[in-house]
Amino acid sequence: MKIFAMVLCVIAGSYGCANNSYNDGRKRIVYNAHGLKVITSFSDRKQQTISLLYGNALALQSAKTGIQDKGELFELVTFKQADNKYWYGSYINGAVQSIELITSYATDKNVIAFKYKILQGQVPGDADARIKSIISHRALLFP
């Protein structure tokens, strides 16, 4: 009987310590913005997504004033919506659906231009439309 109890404890202990790295898309994943600041956030109920627009200090200033400058870095991270189990009827960010990166630079004639890159996922629309959409967002300002 003691041997049976020991074997049962060993099996239960090894099963409890198993590493389960499966993510079914409902598990929240914390995104590392690598020092960028949050500019704004928005959601799309039809697509069931939540988006956060991050940026460096120049991008944040541009989002406040609407004036573009070289050296801006915008990063739009779109998450799938997940139910908030702690607050009925609300949503929180779930798995990362897409990551888009926009950087600004000055051309030979000192005109501000933008480079667009999709780092993860797929995004509808062409690059020019996405750039216009992303840089048109204004910064959230708290009093």
Side-chain angles (χ1 to χ4, degrees):
M1 187 66 173
K2 289 182 182 180
I3 293 175
F4 177 72
M6 285 181 56
V7 170
L8 186 61
C9 286
V10 169
I11 291 172
S14 63
Y15 180 74
C17 294
N19 183 9
N20 186 3
S21 60
Y22 175 73
N23 182 5
D24 65 357
R26 291 179 289 172
K27 185 176 181 182
R28 287 187 71 195
I29 297 173
V30 177
Y31 179 73
N32 183 356
H34 304 290
L36 298 177
K37 297 184 180 350
V38 173
I39 295 174
T40 191
S41 65
F42 50 94
S43 64
D44 185 340
R45 290 279 180 143
K46 287 184 181 180
Q47 297 291 324
Q48 295 183 330
T49 59
I50 299 172
S51 300
L52 284 168
L53 180 60
Y54 295 95
N56 61 6
L58 291 171
L60 181 59
Q61 187 62 31
S62 167
K64 288 178 182 176
T65 63
I67 301 169
Q68 267 66 47
D69 197 6
K70 64 182 177 185
E72 297 170 352
L73 179 106
F74 293 92
E75 191 168 84
L76 181 66
V77 182
T78 303
F79 301 90
K80 197 72 178 153
Q81 280 183 351
D83 290 330
N84 185 348
K85 64 183 179 180
Y86 299 111
W87 195 269
Y88 178 75
S90 67
Y91 301 100
I92 56 174
N93 58 318
V96 174
Q97 187 172 349
S98 65
I99 302 173
E100 302 168 79
L101 183 70
I102 296 175
T103 53
S104 66
Y105 63 96
T107 63
D108 295 338
K109 298 176 182 174
N110 268 348
V111 176
I112 302 300
F114 298 95
K115 290 182 185 176
Y116 174 79
K117 185 175 181 181
I118 299 173
L119 300 178
Q120 180 178 329
Q122 294 181 349
V123 180
D126 66 329
D128 290 334
R130 294 300 300 163
I131 290 170
K132 282 184 180 181
S133 172
I134 293 170
I135 65 172
S136 70
H137 288 284
R138 294 292 159 237
L140 284 176
L141 300 175
F142 295 99

